[in-house]
Amino acid sequence: MSGLRSVSGSTNGKNYDSIMKILLIGDSGVGKSCLLVRFVDDKFNPSFITTIGIDFKIKTVEINGRKIKLQLWDTAGQERFRTITTAYYRGAMGIILVYDVTDEKTFANIRQWFKTVTEHANDDAQLLLVGNKSDMETRTVTHEQGDELSRELGIPFVEASAKNDDNVNEIFFTLAKLIQEKIDSNQIATGGNAKDSNININSSGGSGSKSNCC
Amino acid sequence: MITMGDEKTLGSEDVEVRSNEERLLKQKVIKFALQKKSTALLAHLGRSKLGFADNEVRPKCWSQLLNNQLKKSSEYKRQQLDIVLNSKEVHMDEHQVQLDVNRSFITIETPIIRNNLRFILNYFIIKILRLHPNLRYYQGYHDIISVIIVVYLNMSLINEQLKWNVPINDVNEIMSSLTETELFNAIESFTLLYLRDFMTDSLYFTIDQLNIIPKLIKDRDIFLFNKFKLDQLQPFYATSSLLTVYSHDLKIEDKTFDNNILFSIFDMIISHRNMAIPLVIYSNFIVNAKEELLKAYESNISNFENQNDLINVIIQKQTLNDIFNDKTWDDVLSLTRQNVLINTSYLKTSNVNKYSVLYNTGSGKDQPLTNYNIKTVLNYMKNELIINEKRKIQIVRSKKFQLLRSNISKSIMRMKLPMVYQITLVVLLLLCSSYYRHFPNYSYNIDFFKQFEGNNVCHNLYIHFHRLSKDILASINRLIAKT
Ligand SMILES: Nc1nc2c(ncn2[C@@H]2O[C@H](COP(=O)(O)OP(=O)(O)O)[C@@H](O)[C@H]2O)c(=O)[nH]1
Ligand SMILES: [Mg+2]
């Protein structure tokens, strides 16, 4: 396990150095919620509840002596929920794309997920590809395939297991560090300025795009 | 996980005894109404405190009301039997059903019982989907069906029933075929009368319903409404509460298989014939928790960069908190009983489609005795599916359109033209696109914009602008002529 320490959720007041909004996306059943619960509560329940719509957890971690508050958003995988979940892509600094190494279809769909990210997320969001359930013997997607896809998409890649607690902390710490580096080198905007805020004269009924500044 | 506020005060035993007496008394009256087959009286009882009291009488009440609300001809029932018997055709959502069934009944500790319940759940969902292949399964539907199953199987007797302790391969090992039929009928009727809007392949109609929540709050507490700018925020916070009628969070308890609060919400919907109830309940939760919400807002304001995220999170978390609190439920339910919507003015300003459950089968209008023929209701569903497709096409189009427009404006910017020309071109482009948005049926054509992606943008736009101004004038003239 990594030598990074984590500090459990804090209360009021600004007792942290930065906030990072992080999103988990991917097909239904790949283990997004299990990864999150493993990371935040250090538990694994094989019949964890279905996520409907969107869910939210918070965890404060310490990286290089800095306290970082991770805002973690868990999303529903079923296609129809994308209308809702993509509304939360805005302002996300990190996005974790998860597939199931025992289910090729979820791996093939990563390209689709990647596309929704390029359409809805900030340009400078840091992405990470995760192949979950690495503990299973019945894998159908090899590590090399994952590697290849990650190179093609130009994003880092980890295989993990929420069940065995393999690489789970690494997912979140790696991502947080990468984001921190971006912030430090001033590449990332800390506000929620999504990319499509230039000429936005559409009016397809939704109003979610307004009050986006603060 | 579910912790009920169990601070025992001195008089709490008395209260318990009294509420138990109340329940028994209510049960007696319900039995009387059932015996007399008085649907009106039953509906009245289901609307009041405690709903249908307990699961000994509840399934009979639901069946009586639902069978009255949705009439299925014997011809339909025969057909239905044929279809199910002969259909080996797999519904396209069965994989998703499997994924969610595997995550259901998580509060039930005994593995064999849990697995048997999952088997039954899977059986009924698949049956509904195969019988109505145009219905699409959504994540959360399984939670609702779980509730109906537990109610009909009167699970409180489970400990005495040995048959539950062996893995089953057929639902009839657990229930008689009569129970199976009644249960299936209830599931089918509840689905078609109340959940139709959710069962397309999109969330459009669900979101239309959710958007009623801010309207309800505006009427009740304008300060809160303004403070949280609820009109500028899509009410996604209530998604799972609406889609599952609170059964995602209010779980059936282990051993007792009870959750009277949850069951009584279903009682209310069925006996008011009103699917706006989950929305009214949610708005009552928000208004009720005003102080806590304002506090949470202040203390979290520095934790979020995005205002929408902040409001969504504090509302969702606060409601979840309240959902696990019996006392809040008492308040909210009694409030809901007092202000169940009967006027539909909130619908007029909404985007809700005219075949929606909120306009007919779940409108709460004319009270619960109105009945619908299954043919009519299936027709509503068909129409909803058509509208759903139309909306999808519209959205895809407008997305493509936006993308194209931004590409064109980028290519204009890249051209080495004097500033003035560039600005003129962009203005022309905006004019064109607003023209196409306002007259979508009048020669709306994405291909038209495609031609500007090439190099003679300038020339083409100029030519078209001339034609356009004529077109605009012509259509304005036509509009004037009409009025
Ligand atoms: N063997 C194994 N199973 C897992 C792992 N993570 C999740 N699962 C299983 O996959 C199912 C779906 O996980 P869930 O987190 O609900 O998926 P989500 O839909 O992506 O949120 C769970 O019920 C677990 O049984 C893992 O690391 N190893
Ligand atoms: Mg999940």
Side-chain angles (χ1 to χ4, degrees), chain B residues 11-69:
Chain B
S12 76
E13 267 169 45
D14 298 344
V15 175
E16 228 160 74
V17 170
R18 217 178 324 132
S19 83
N20 215 13
E21 273 173 13
E22 215 176 323
R23 190 176 298 275
L24 284 173
L25 190 66
K26 185 143 196 200
Q27 209 200 61
K28 271 188 199 151
V29 186
I30 292 170
K31 279 184 176 161
F32 173 79
L34 281 169
Q35 201 191 353
K36 294 279 170 215
K37 292 204 169 22
S38 167
T39 316
L41 179 55
L42 269 186
H44 190 76
L45 292 165
R47 274 178 251 154
S48 61
K49 205 178 144 205
L50 296 178
F52 289 121
D54 69 40
N55 287 354
E56 192 192 327
V57 287
R58 184 170 277 121
K60 298 189 189 82
C61 302
W62 286 10
S63 285
Q64 167 100 19
L65 287 166
L66 290 170
N67 290 341
N68 193 277
Q69 291 164 4

Side-chain angles (χ1 to χ4, degrees), chain A residues 26-35 44-51 74-77 98 100 132-136 160-164, chain B residues 99 102-103 139:
Chain A
D27 280 4
S28 180
V30 297
K32 299 179 292 297
S33 305
C34 286
L35 285 169
F44 179 76
N45 181 344
S47 60
F48 190 69
I49 198 165
T50 300
T51 313
D74 188 12
T75 61
V98 189
D100 174 350
N132 187 38
K133 309 197 188 176
S134 63
D135 58 282
M136 302 266 284
S161 161
K163 188 177 176 195
N164 291 357
Chain B
L99 287 175
N102 289 342
R103 291 177 280 190
Q139 291 192 288

Side-chain angles (χ1 to χ4, degrees), chain B residues 297-309:
Chain B
Y297 179 81
E298 294 306 330
S299 62
N300 281 297
I301 208 160
S302 65
N303 289 343
F304 290 85
E305 263 139 16
N306 183 316
Q307 181 82 0
N308 284 355
D309 287 358

Side-chain angles (χ1 to χ4, degrees), chain A residues 199-204, chain B residues 398 401-402 404-406 408 425-445 448-449 452 461 464-465 468-469 471-472 475-476 479:
Chain A
I199 353 166
N200 204 347
I201 51 165
N202 98 346
S203 57
S204 53
Chain B
S398 91
F401 181 71
Q402 266 172 28
L404 216 49
R405 195 185 54 208
S406 86
I408 298 170
L425 282 176
V426 171
V427 170
L428 281 177
L429 180 68
L430 290 181
L431 265 173
C432 289
S433 45
S434 86
Y435 162 77
Y436 275 105
R437 246 180 325 111
H438 287 110
F439 303 99
N441 299 326
Y442 181 69
S443 73
Y444 176 100
N445 182 5
F448 159 69
F449 282 95
F452 299 115
L461 262 184
H464 193 73
F465 185 64
L468 202 58
S469 36
D471 284 349
I472 292 175
S475 33
I476 289 173
L479 275 179

Side-chain angles (χ1 to χ4, degrees), chain B residues 105 108 110-120 167-168:
Chain B
F105 291 109
I108 310 303
T110 321
I112 293 192
I113 296 178
R114 187 172 58 213
N115 286 336
N116 284 343
L117 283 167
R118 286 181 179 174
F119 181 91
I120 297 169
I168 57 167

